[in-house]
Coordinates of all heavy atoms in Angstrom, one line a residue:
M7 N 0.8 -1.2 0.0 CA 0.0 0.0 0.0 C 0.9 1.3 0.0 O 0.6 2.2 -0.7 CB -0.9 0.0 1.2 CG -1.6 1.3 1.4 SD -3.1 1.1 2.3 CE -3.5 2.8 2.5
Y8 N 1.9 1.3 0.8 CA 2.7 2.5 0.9 C 3.5 2.8 -0.4 O 3.7 3.9 -0.7 CB 3.7 2.4 2.1 CG 3.0 2.5 3.4 CD1 2.9 1.3 4.2 CD2 2.5 3.7 3.8 CE1 2.3 1.4 5.4 CE2 1.8 3.7 5.1 CZ 1.7 2.6 5.8 OH 1.1 2.7 7.0
Q9 N 3.8 1.7 -1.1 CA 4.6 1.9 -2.4 C 3.7 2.7 -3.4 O 4.2 3.5 -4.1 CB 5.0 0.6 -2.9 CG 6.1 -0.1 -2.1 CD 6.5 -1.4 -2.6 OE1 5.7 -2.1 -3.3 NE2 7.6 -1.9 -2.2
K10 N 2.4 2.5 -3.4 CA 1.6 3.2 -4.3 C 1.3 4.6 -3.8 O 1.1 5.5 -4.6 CB 0.2 2.4 -4.5 CG 0.4 1.1 -5.3 CD -0.9 0.5 -5.5 CE -0.7 -0.9 -6.2 NZ -2.0 -1.6 -6.4
T11 N 1.2 4.8 -2.5 CA 0.8 6.0 -2.0 C 2.0 7.0 -2.1 O 1.7 8.2 -2.4 CB 0.5 5.9 -0.5 OG1 -0.6 4.9 -0.4 CG2 0.0 7.2 0.1
I12 N 3.2 6.6 -1.9 CA 4.3 7.5 -1.9 C 4.5 8.2 -3.3 O 4.6 9.4 -3.4 CB 5.6 6.8 -1.4 CG1 5.5 6.5 0.1 CG2 6.8 7.7 -1.7 CD1 6.6 5.7 0.6
P13 N 4.5 7.4 -4.4 CA 4.6 8.1 -5.7 C 3.5 9.0 -6.0 O 3.7 10.1 -6.6 CB 4.7 6.9 -6.7 CG 5.2 5.7 -5.9 CD 4.6 6.0 -4.5
M14 N 2.3 8.7 -5.6 CA 1.1 9.5 -5.8 C 1.3 10.8 -5.0 O 1.1 11.9 -5.5 CB -0.2 8.9 -5.4 CG -0.6 7.7 -6.4 SD -2.0 6.8 -5.8 CE -3.2 8.0 -5.8
A15 N 1.8 10.7 -3.8 CA 2.0 11.9 -2.9 C 3.1 12.8 -3.5 O 3.0 14.0 -3.5 CB 2.3 11.5 -1.5
T16 N 4.1 12.1 -4.1 CA 5.2 12.9 -4.7 C 4.7 13.6 -5.9 O 5.1 14.8 -6.1 CB 6.4 11.9 -5.0 OG1 6.8 11.2 -3.9 CG2 7.6 12.7 -5.6
A17 N 3.9 12.9 -6.7 CA 3.4 13.6 -7.9 C 2.5 14.7 -7.5 O 2.5 15.8 -8.2 CB 2.6 12.6 -8.8
A18 N 1.7 14.6 -6.5 CA 0.8 15.6 -6.1 C 1.6 16.8 -5.6 O 1.2 18.0 -5.8 CB -0.2 15.1 -5.0
A19 N 2.7 16.6 -4.8 CA 3.5 17.6 -4.3 C 4.1 18.4 -5.4 O 4.3 19.6 -5.4 CB 4.5 17.1 -3.4
A20 N 4.5 17.7 -6.5 CA 5.2 18.4 -7.6 C 4.2 19.3 -8.4 O 4.6 20.3 -9.0 CB 5.7 17.4 -8.6
T21 N 2.9 19.0 -8.3 CA 1.9 19.9 -9.1 C 1.1 20.8 -8.2 O 0.3 21.5 -8.6 CB 1.0 19.0 -9.8 OG1 0.3 18.1 -8.9 CG2 1.7 18.1 -10.9
T22 N 1.4 20.8 -6.9 CA 0.7 21.6 -6.0 C 0.9 23.1 -6.2 O 2.0 23.5 -6.7 CB 1.0 21.3 -4.5 OG1 0.1 22.0 -3.7 CG2 2.4 21.6 -4.1
R23 N 0.0 23.9 -5.8 CA 0.2 25.4 -6.0 C 0.9 25.9 -4.7 O 1.1 27.1 -4.7 CB -1.1 26.0 -6.2 CG -1.8 25.5 -7.5 CD -3.0 26.2 -7.7 NE -2.7 27.3 -8.7 CZ -3.6 28.1 -9.2 NH1 -4.8 28.0 -9.0 NH2 -3.2 29.0 -10.1
W24 N 1.1 25.1 -3.7 CA 1.8 25.6 -2.5 C 3.3 25.3 -2.6 O 3.7 24.2 -2.8 CB 1.2 24.8 -1.3 CG -0.2 25.1 -1.0 CD1 -1.3 24.5 -1.6 CD2 -0.7 26.2 -0.2 NE1 -2.4 25.1 -1.1 CE2 -2.1 26.1 -0.3 CE3 -0.1 27.1 0.5 CZ2 -2.9 27.0 0.4 CZ3 -0.9 28.0 1.2 CH2 -2.3 27.9 1.1
P25 N 4.1 26.4 -2.6 CA 5.5 26.2 -2.8 C 6.1 25.5 -1.5 O 5.6 25.6 -0.4 CB 6.0 27.6 -2.9 CG 5.0 28.4 -2.2 CD 3.7 27.7 -2.4
T26 N 7.2 24.7 -1.8 CA 7.8 24.1 -0.7 C 8.7 25.1 0.1 O 8.9 24.9 1.3 CB 8.7 22.9 -1.2 OG1 9.6 23.4 -2.1 CG2 7.9 21.8 -1.8
Q27 N 9.2 26.1 -0.6 CA 10.0 27.1 0.0 C 9.5 28.5 -0.5 O 9.1 28.6 -1.6 CB 11.5 27.0 -0.3 CG 12.1 25.8 0.2 CD 13.6 25.7 -0.1 OE1 14.2 26.7 -0.6 NE2 14.2 24.6 0.1
P28 N 9.4 29.5 0.4 CA 9.0 30.8 -0.1 C 9.9 31.3 -1.1 O 11.1 31.1 -1.0 CB 9.0 31.6 1.2 CG 9.7 30.9 2.2 CD 9.8 29.4 1.8
T29 N 9.3 32.0 -2.1 CA 10.2 32.6 -3.1 C 10.5 34.0 -2.7 O 9.8 34.6 -1.9 CB 9.4 32.6 -4.5 OG1 8.2 33.4 -4.4 CG2 9.1 31.2 -5.0
Q30 N 11.5 34.6 -3.3 CA 11.9 36.0 -3.1 C 11.0 36.9 -3.9 O 10.6 36.6 -5.0 CB 13.4 36.2 -3.5 CG 14.4 35.4 -2.6 CD 14.5 36.0 -1.2 OE1 14.2 37.2 -1.0 NE2 14.8 35.2 -0.3
W31 N 10.7 38.0 -3.3 CA 9.9 39.0 -4.0 C 10.9 40.2 -4.3 O 11.4 40.8 -3.5 CB 8.8 39.5 -3.1 CG 7.6 38.6 -3.1 CD1 7.6 37.4 -2.4 CD2 6.4 38.7 -3.7 NE1 6.4 36.8 -2.6 CE2 5.6 37.5 -3.4 CE3 5.8 39.6 -4.6 CZ2 4.3 37.3 -3.9 CZ3 4.5 39.4 -5.0 CH2 3.8 38.3 -4.7
T32 N 11.0 40.5 -5.6 CA 11.8 41.6 -6.1 C 11.0 42.9 -6.0 O 9.8 42.8 -5.8 CB 12.3 41.4 -7.5 OG1 11.1 41.4 -8.4 CG2 13.0 40.1 -7.7
R33 N 11.6 44.0 -6.1 CA 10.9 45.3 -6.1 C 9.9 45.3 -7.3 O 8.8 45.8 -7.2 CB 11.9 46.4 -6.2 CG 11.3 47.8 -6.2 CD 10.7 48.1 -4.8 NE 10.2 49.5 -4.8 CZ 9.0 49.8 -4.4 NH1 8.2 48.9 -3.9 NH2 8.6 51.1 -4.4
E34 N 10.4 44.7 -8.4 CA 9.5 44.6 -9.6 C 8.3 43.8 -9.3 O 7.1 44.1 -9.7 CB 10.2 44.1 -10.8 CG 9.5 44.1 -12.1 CD 9.0 45.5 -12.6 OE1 9.7 46.5 -12.3 OE2 8.0 45.6 -13.2
D35 N 8.5 42.6 -8.7 CA 7.3 41.8 -8.3 C 6.4 42.6 -7.4 O 5.1 42.5 -7.6 CB 7.8 40.6 -7.4 CG 8.6 39.5 -8.2 OD1 8.4 39.5 -9.5 OD2 9.4 38.8 -7.6
D36 N 6.9 43.3 -6.4 CA 6.0 44.1 -5.6 C 5.2 45.2 -6.4 O 4.1 45.4 -6.1 CB 6.9 44.8 -4.5 CG 7.3 43.9 -3.3 OD1 6.5 43.0 -3.0 OD2 8.3 44.2 -2.7
K37 N 5.9 45.8 -7.3 CA 5.2 46.8 -8.1 C 4.1 46.1 -8.9 O 2.9 46.7 -9.0 CB 6.2 47.5 -9.1 CG 7.1 48.5 -8.4 CD 8.0 49.2 -9.3 CE 8.9 50.2 -8.6 NZ 9.7 50.9 -9.6
L38 N 4.3 45.0 -9.5 CA 3.3 44.3 -10.3 C 2.2 43.9 -9.4 O 1.0 44.0 -9.7 CB 3.9 43.1 -11.0 CG 4.9 43.3 -12.1 CD1 5.5 42.0 -12.6 CD2 4.1 44.0 -13.3
F39 N 2.5 43.4 -8.2 CA 1.5 43.0 -7.2 C 0.7 44.1 -6.8 O -0.6 44.0 -6.7 CB 2.3 42.4 -6.0 CG 1.4 42.0 -4.8 CD1 0.6 41.0 -4.8 CD2 1.5 42.8 -3.7 CE1 -0.2 40.7 -3.7 CE2 0.7 42.5 -2.6 CZ -0.1 41.4 -2.6
E40 N 1.3 45.3 -6.4 CA 0.5 46.4 -6.0 C -0.4 46.9 -7.1 O -1.5 47.3 -6.8 CB 1.5 47.5 -5.5 CG 2.2 47.1 -4.2 CD 3.4 48.0 -3.9 OE1 3.6 49.0 -4.6 OE2 4.1 47.6 -2.9
R41 N 0.1 46.9 -8.3 CA -0.7 47.4 -9.4 C -1.9 46.4 -9.6 O -3.1 46.9 -9.8 CB 0.1 47.4 -10.7 CG -0.6 48.0 -11.9 CD 0.2 48.2 -13.1 NE 1.4 48.9 -12.8 CZ 2.7 48.5 -13.2 NH1 2.8 47.4 -13.8 NH2 3.7 49.2 -12.9
A42 N -1.7 45.1 -9.5 CA -2.8 44.2 -9.6 C -3.8 44.4 -8.5 O -5.0 44.2 -8.7 CB -2.2 42.7 -9.6
L43 N -3.3 44.7 -7.3 CA -4.3 44.9 -6.2 C -5.2 46.1 -6.5 O -6.4 46.0 -6.1 CB -3.5 45.2 -4.9 CG -2.9 44.1 -4.1 CD1 -2.1 44.6 -2.9 CD2 -3.9 43.1 -3.7
L44 N -4.7 47.1 -7.1 CA -5.5 48.2 -7.5 C -6.5 47.9 -8.7 O -7.6 48.4 -8.7 CB -4.6 49.4 -7.9 CG -3.8 50.0 -6.8 CD1 -2.8 51.0 -7.4 CD2 -4.6 50.6 -5.8
M45 N -6.0 47.1 -9.6 CA -6.8 46.8 -10.8 C -7.9 45.7 -10.6 O -8.9 45.7 -11.3 CB -5.9 46.4 -11.9 CG -4.9 47.4 -12.3 SD -5.6 49.0 -12.8 CE -6.3 48.6 -14.3
V46 N -7.6 44.8 -9.7 CA -8.6 43.6 -9.5 C -9.5 43.9 -8.4 O -9.0 44.1 -7.2 CB -7.8 42.3 -9.3 CG1 -8.8 41.2 -9.1 CG2 -6.9 42.0 -10.4
P47 N -10.8 44.0 -8.6 CA -11.8 44.4 -7.6 C -11.7 43.4 -6.4 O -11.6 42.2 -6.6 CB -13.1 44.3 -8.3 CG -12.8 44.4 -9.7 CD -11.5 43.8 -9.9
E48 N -11.9 44.0 -5.2 CA -11.9 43.2 -4.0 C -13.0 42.1 -3.9 O -12.8 41.1 -3.3 CB -12.0 44.1 -2.7 CG -10.7 44.9 -2.5 CD -10.8 45.7 -1.2 OE1 -11.4 45.2 -0.2 OE2 -10.3 46.8 -1.2
D49 N -14.1 42.4 -4.5 CA -15.3 41.5 -4.5 C -15.3 40.5 -5.6 O -16.2 39.6 -5.7 CB -16.6 42.3 -4.5 CG -16.7 43.2 -5.7 OD1 -15.8 43.3 -6.5 OD2 -17.9 43.6 -5.9
L50 N -14.2 40.4 -6.4 CA -14.2 39.4 -7.5 C -13.9 38.1 -6.9 O -13.0 37.9 -6.1 CB -13.0 39.8 -8.4 CG -13.0 39.1 -9.8 CD1 -14.2 39.5 -10.6 CD2 -11.7 39.4 -10.5
P51 N -14.8 37.1 -7.2 CA -14.7 35.7 -6.5 C -13.3 35.1 -6.7 O -12.8 34.4 -5.8 CB -15.7 34.9 -7.2 CG -16.7 35.9 -7.8 CD -15.9 37.1 -8.1
N52 N -12.7 35.3 -7.8 CA -11.3 34.6 -8.1 C -10.2 35.7 -8.1 O -9.3 35.6 -8.9 CB -11.4 33.8 -9.4 CG -11.7 34.7 -10.6 OD1 -12.2 35.8 -10.4 ND2 -11.5 34.2 -11.8
R53 N -10.3 36.6 -7.2 CA -9.4 37.8 -7.1 C -8.0 37.3 -7.0 O -7.1 37.8 -7.7 CB -9.7 38.6 -5.9 CG -8.8 39.9 -5.8 CD -9.2 40.8 -4.7 NE -8.6 42.1 -4.9 CZ -8.0 42.7 -3.9 NH1 -8.0 42.2 -2.7 NH2 -7.5 43.9 -4.1
W54 N -7.7 36.4 -6.1 CA -6.3 36.0 -6.0 C -5.7 35.3 -7.2 O -4.5 35.4 -7.5 CB -6.1 35.1 -4.7 CG -6.5 35.9 -3.5 CD1 -7.6 35.7 -2.7 CD2 -6.0 37.1 -3.0 NE1 -7.7 36.6 -1.7 CE2 -6.7 37.6 -1.9 CE3 -4.9 37.9 -3.4 CZ2 -6.4 38.7 -1.2 CZ3 -4.6 39.1 -2.7 CH2 -5.4 39.5 -1.6
E55 N -6.5 34.5 -7.9 CA -6.1 33.9 -9.1 C -5.7 35.0 -10.2 O -4.7 34.9 -10.9 CB -7.2 33.0 -9.7 CG -7.3 31.7 -8.9 CD -8.3 31.8 -7.7 OE1 -8.8 33.0 -7.4 OE2 -8.5 30.8 -7.0
K56 N -6.6 36.0 -10.3 CA -6.4 37.1 -11.2 C -5.1 37.9 -10.9 O -4.3 38.3 -11.8 CB -7.6 38.0 -11.3 CG -8.8 37.4 -11.9 CD -8.6 37.1 -13.3 CE -9.8 36.5 -13.9 NZ -9.6 36.0 -15.3
I57 N -4.9 38.1 -9.6 CA -3.7 38.8 -9.2 C -2.4 38.0 -9.5 O -1.4 38.5 -10.0 CB -3.8 39.2 -7.7 CG1 -4.8 40.3 -7.5 CG2 -2.4 39.7 -7.2 CD1 -5.2 40.6 -6.1
A58 N -2.5 36.7 -9.2 CA -1.3 35.8 -9.4 C -1.0 35.8 -10.9 O 0.2 35.7 -11.3 CB -1.6 34.4 -8.9
E59 N -2.0 35.9 -11.8 CA -1.7 35.9 -13.2 C -0.9 37.1 -13.6 O -0.2 37.1 -14.6 CB -3.1 35.9 -14.0 CG -3.8 34.6 -13.9 CD -5.2 34.7 -14.5 OE1 -5.6 35.7 -15.0 OE2 -6.0 33.7 -14.4
Q60 N -1.0 38.1 -12.9 CA -0.3 39.4 -13.2 C 1.1 39.5 -12.6 O 1.8 40.5 -12.8 CB -1.2 40.6 -12.8 CG -2.5 40.6 -13.6 CD -3.3 41.8 -13.3 OE1 -2.8 43.0 -13.1 NE2 -4.6 41.7 -13.2
V61 N 1.4 38.5 -11.8 CA 2.8 38.5 -11.1 C 3.5 37.2 -11.5 O 3.3 36.2 -10.9 CB 2.7 38.6 -9.6 CG1 4.1 38.8 -9.0 CG2 1.8 39.8 -9.2
P62 N 4.2 37.2 -12.6 CA 4.9 36.0 -13.1 C 5.7 35.3 -12.1 O 6.4 35.9 -11.3 CB 5.8 36.5 -14.2 CG 5.2 37.9 -14.6 CD 4.6 38.4 -13.4
G63 N 5.5 34.0 -12.0 CA 6.2 33.1 -11.1 C 5.7 33.0 -9.7 O 6.3 32.3 -8.9
K64 N 4.6 33.7 -9.5 CA 4.0 33.6 -8.1 C 2.7 32.8 -8.2 O 1.8 33.0 -9.1 CB 3.7 35.0 -7.6 CG 4.9 35.9 -7.5 CD 6.0 35.3 -6.6 CE 7.2 36.2 -6.5 NZ 8.3 35.6 -5.9
S65 N 2.5 32.0 -7.2 CA 1.3 31.2 -7.1 C 0.2 32.0 -6.4 O 0.4 33.0 -5.8 CB 1.5 29.9 -6.3 OG 1.8 30.2 -4.9
V66 N -1.0 31.5 -6.4 CA -2.2 32.1 -5.7 C -1.9 32.2 -4.2 O -2.1 33.2 -3.6 CB -3.5 31.3 -6.0 CG1 -4.6 31.8 -5.1 CG2 -3.8 31.3 -7.5
A67 N -1.3 31.1 -3.7 CA -1.0 31.1 -2.2 C 0.0 32.1 -1.9 O 0.0 32.8 -0.9 CB -0.5 29.7 -1.8
E68 N 1.0 32.3 -2.8 CA 2.1 33.3 -2.5 C 1.5 34.7 -2.6 O 1.9 35.5 -1.7 CB 3.2 33.1 -3.6 CG 4.0 31.9 -3.3 CD 5.0 31.7 -4.5 OE1 4.6 31.6 -5.6 OE2 6.2 31.6 -4.1
V69 N 0.7 35.0 -3.5 CA 0.1 36.4 -3.6 C -0.8 36.7 -2.4 O -0.8 37.7 -1.8 CB -0.5 36.8 -4.9 CG1 0.5 36.7 -6.0 CG2 -1.7 35.9 -5.2
R70 N -1.6 35.7 -2.0 CA -2.5 35.8 -0.8 C -1.6 36.0 0.4 O -1.9 36.9 1.3 CB -3.4 34.6 -0.7 CG -4.5 34.9 0.3 CD -5.5 33.8 0.3 NE -5.0 32.5 0.0 CZ -5.5 31.6 -1.0 NH1 -6.5 32.0 -1.7 NH2 -4.9 30.5 -1.2
D71 N -0.6 35.2 0.6 CA 0.3 35.3 1.8 C 1.0 36.7 1.8 O 1.2 37.3 2.8 CB 1.3 34.2 1.8 CG 0.7 32.9 2.2 OD1 -0.5 32.8 2.6 OD2 1.4 31.9 2.0
H72 N 1.5 37.1 0.6 CA 2.1 38.4 0.5 C 1.2 39.5 0.8 O 1.6 40.5 1.5 CB 2.7 38.6 -1.0 CG 3.7 39.6 -1.1 ND1 4.9 39.5 -0.5 CD2 3.8 40.7 -1.8 CE1 5.7 40.6 -0.8 NE2 5.0 41.3 -1.6
Y73 N -0.1 39.4 0.5 CA -1.0 40.4 0.8 C -1.2 40.5 2.4 O -1.2 41.6 3.0 CB -2.4 40.1 0.2 CG -3.5 41.1 0.6 CD1 -3.5 42.4 0.0 CD2 -4.4 40.7 1.5 CE1 -4.5 43.3 0.4 CE2 -5.4 41.6 1.9 CZ -5.5 42.9 1.3 OH -6.4 43.8 1.7
E74 N -1.3 39.3 3.0 CA -1.5 39.3 4.4 C -0.3 39.9 5.1 O -0.4 40.6 6.1 CB -1.7 37.8 4.9 CG -3.1 37.3 4.5 CD -3.3 35.9 4.7 OE1 -2.4 35.2 5.4 OE2 -4.4 35.3 4.3
D75 N 0.9 39.6 4.6 CA 2.1 40.2 5.1 C 2.1 41.8 5.0 O 2.5 42.5 5.9 CB 3.4 39.7 4.4 CG 3.7 38.2 4.8 OD1 3.1 37.7 5.8 OD2 4.4 37.6 4.0
L76 N 1.6 42.2 3.8 CA 1.5 43.7 3.5 C 0.6 44.3 4.5 O 0.9 45.4 5.1 CB 1.1 43.9 2.1 CG 0.8 45.3 1.7 CD1 2.1 46.1 1.7 CD2 0.2 45.4 0.3
V77 N -0.6 43.7 4.8 CA -1.6 44.2 5.7 C -0.9 44.3 7.1 O -1.1 45.3 7.8 CB -2.9 43.4 5.7 CG1 -3.7 43.7 6.9 CG2 -3.6 43.5 4.4
H78 N -0.2 43.3 7.5 CA 0.5 43.3 8.8 C 1.5 44.4 8.9 O 1.6 45.1 9.9 CB 1.2 41.9 9.0 CG 1.9 41.9 10.3 ND1 3.2 42.3 10.5 CD2 1.5 41.4 11.5 CE1 3.6 42.1 11.7 NE2 2.6 41.6 12.4
D79 N 2.3 44.6 7.8 CA 3.3 45.6 7.8 C 2.7 47.0 7.9 O 3.2 47.9 8.6 CB 4.1 45.6 6.5 CG 5.1 44.4 6.5 OD1 5.2 43.7 7.5 OD2 5.6 44.1 5.4
V80 N 1.6 47.2 7.2 CA 0.9 48.5 7.3 C 0.4 48.8 8.7 O 0.5 49.9 9.2 CB -0.3 48.6 6.2 CG1 -1.2 49.8 6.5 CG2 0.3 48.6 4.8
L81 N -0.2 47.8 9.3 CA -0.6 47.9 10.7 C 0.5 48.3 11.6 O 0.4 49.2 12.4 CB -1.3 46.6 11.2 CG -1.8 46.6 12.6 CD1 -2.9 47.7 12.8 CD2 -2.3 45.2 13.0
E82 N 1.7 47.6 11.4 CA 2.8 47.9 12.3 C 3.3 49.4 12.0 O 3.7 50.1 13.0 CB 4.0 47.0 12.0 CG 3.7 45.5 12.4 CD 3.6 45.4 13.9 OE1 4.5 45.8 14.6 OE2 2.6 44.8 14.4
I83 N 3.3 49.8 10.8 CA 3.7 51.2 10.5 C 2.7 52.2 11.1 O 3.1 53.2 11.8 CB 3.8 51.4 9.0 CG1 4.9 50.7 8.4 CG2 3.8 52.9 8.6 CD1 5.0 50.6 6.9
E84 N 1.4 51.9 11.0 CA 0.3 52.8 11.6 C 0.4 52.9 13.1 O 0.1 53.9 13.7 CB -1.0 52.3 11.1 CG -1.3 52.6 9.7 CD -2.7 52.1 9.2 OE1 -3.3 51.3 10.0 OE2 -3.1 52.4 8.1
L85 N 0.8 51.8 13.7 CA 1.0 51.8 15.2 C 2.3 52.4 15.6 O 2.6 52.5 16.8 CB 0.9 50.3 15.7 CG -0.5 49.7 15.6 CD1 -0.4 48.2 16.0 CD2 -1.5 50.4 16.4
G86 N 3.2 52.8 14.7 CA 4.4 53.4 15.0 C 5.5 52.5 15.4 O 6.5 52.9 15.9
R87 N 5.3 51.2 15.2 CA 6.3 50.2 15.6 C 7.4 50.1 14.6 O 8.5 49.6 14.9 CB 5.7 48.8 15.8 CG 4.7 48.8 16.9 CD 4.1 47.4 17.1 NE 3.1 47.4 18.1 CZ 2.1 46.6 18.1 NH1 2.0 45.6 17.2 NH2 1.2 46.6 19.1
V88 N 7.1 50.5 13.3 CA 8.1 50.3 12.2 C 8.1 51.6 11.4 O 7.0 52.2 11.2 CB 7.7 49.1 11.3 CG1 8.7 49.0 10.1 CG2 7.7 47.8 12.1
E89 N 9.2 52.1 11.0 CA 9.3 53.3 10.1 C 8.9 52.9 8.7 O 9.2 51.8 8.3 CB 10.7 53.9 10.2 CG 11.0 54.6 11.5 CD 12.3 55.3 11.4 OE1 12.6 55.9 10.3 OE2 13.0 55.3 12.4
V90 N 8.4 53.8 8.0 CA 8.1 53.6 6.6 C 9.4 53.4 5.8 O 10.3 54.3 5.9 CB 7.3 54.8 6.0 CG1 7.0 54.6 4.5 CG2 6.0 55.0 6.7
P91 N 9.5 52.3 5.1 CA 10.7 52.1 4.3 C 10.8 53.1 3.1 O 9.8 53.5 2.6 CB 10.6 50.7 3.8 CG 9.2 50.4 3.8 CD 8.5 51.2 4.9
S92 N 12.0 53.4 2.8 CA 12.2 54.3 1.6 C 13.0 53.5 0.6 O 13.9 52.7 0.9 CB 12.9 55.6 1.9 OG 14.2 55.3 2.4
Y93 N 12.7 53.6 -0.7 CA 13.3 52.9 -1.8 C 13.9 53.9 -2.7 O 13.4 55.0 -3.0 CB 12.3 52.0 -2.5 CG 11.7 51.0 -1.6 CD1 10.4 51.2 -1.1 CD2 12.3 49.8 -1.3 CE1 9.8 50.3 -0.3 CE2 11.7 48.8 -0.5 CZ 10.4 49.1 0.0 OH 9.8 48.1 0.8
P94 N 15.1 53.6 -3.3 CA 15.8 54.5 -4.2 C 14.9 55.0 -5.4 O 14.9 56.2 -5.7 CB 17.0 53.8 -4.7 CG 17.2 52.7 -3.7 CD 15.9 52.4 -3.1
D95 N 14.1 54.1 -5.9 CA 13.3 54.5 -7.1 C 12.1 55.3 -6.6 O 11.6 56.2 -7.4 CB 12.8 53.3 -7.9 CG 12.1 52.2 -7.1 OD1 12.2 52.3 -5.8 OD2 11.4 51.4 -7.7
D96 N 11.6 55.2 -5.4 CA 10.6 56.1 -4.9 C 11.1 57.5 -4.7 O 10.5 58.5 -5.0 CB 10.1 55.6 -3.5 CG 9.3 54.4 -3.6 OD1 8.8 54.0 -4.7 OD2 9.1 53.7 -2.6
L97 N 12.4 57.7 -4.3 CA 13.0 59.0 -4.1 C 13.2 59.7 -5.4 O 13.0 60.9 -5.6 CB 14.3 58.9 -3.4 CG 14.3 58.4 -1.9 CD1 15.7 58.2 -1.4 CD2 13.5 59.4 -1.1
A98 N 13.5 58.9 -6.5 CA 13.7 59.5 -7.8 C 12.3 60.0 -8.3 O 12.3 61.0 -9.0 CB 14.3 58.5 -8.8
A99 N 11.3 59.3 -8.1 CA 9.9 59.7 -8.5 C 9.5 61.0 -7.8 O 8.9 61.8 -8.5 CB 8.9 58.6 -8.3
V100 N 9.8 61.1 -6.6 CA 9.4 62.3 -5.8 C 10.2 63.5 -6.3 O 9.6 64.6 -6.5 CB 9.6 62.1 -4.3 CG1 9.5 63.4 -3.5 CG2 8.7 61.1 -3.8
S101 N 11.5 63.4 -6.5 CA 12.3 64.5 -7.0 C 12.1 64.8 -8.4 O 12.4 66.0 -8.9 CB 13.8 64.2 -6.7 OG 14.2 63.2 -7.4
G102 N 11.6 63.9 -9.2 CA 11.5 64.1 -10.7 C 10.2 64.6 -11.0 O 9.7 65.4 -11.6

């Protein structure tokens, strides 16, 4: 029984949408993600699928988790526990 179950489990793991290790998010990934958040309505039933389609290489689970992390970070900033990060490309946009 276990010999049949293990290959099936391995095959399922290979095709799962849940990554085995978290992927890195680049600044470009973040920009695509943030743009998708603005463009895809919150009440859309398949919102996370649509957002994941707009961020190459990211799964539905990754974009949903990234969103939850973003909400947490915003809360920490609003509570004054963390300073607002500054990025070099943001400074160029403000001065330009």
Side-chain angles (χ1 to χ4, degrees):
M7 171 158 171
Y8 291 108
Q9 291 176 341
K10 290 182 182 177
T11 305
I12 292 171
M14 289 173 62
T16 303
T21 60
T22 187
R23 299 184 95 175
W24 293 89
T26 56
Q27 294 182 13
T29 60
Q30 293 290 334
W31 284 74
T32 65
R33 183 70 175 130
E34 185 63 29
D35 291 336
D36 281 330
K37 287 181 179 184
L38 292 171
F39 172 73
E40 291 166 6
R41 187 175 306 130
L43 284 176
L44 293 172
M45 301 301 294
V46 179
E48 288 184 36
D49 59 347
L50 194 66
N52 58 345
R53 182 176 196 225
W54 299 116
E55 288 84 356
K56 294 294 182 188
I57 291 172
E59 289 172 3
Q60 296 183 41
V61 186
K64 303 299 180 193
S65 70
V66 173
E68 287 173 303
V69 297
R70 191 174 32 233
D71 289 347
H72 199 61
Y73 177 77
E74 290 172 7
D75 290 344
L76 177 63
V77 169
H78 178 274
D79 290 350
V80 168
L81 178 63
E82 292 294 308
I83 291 168
E84 288 176 349
L85 292 173
R87 295 180 184 156
V88 177
E89 289 187 34
V90 177
S92 62
Y93 300 99
D95 56 343
D96 290 342
L97 295 174
V100 170
S101 64

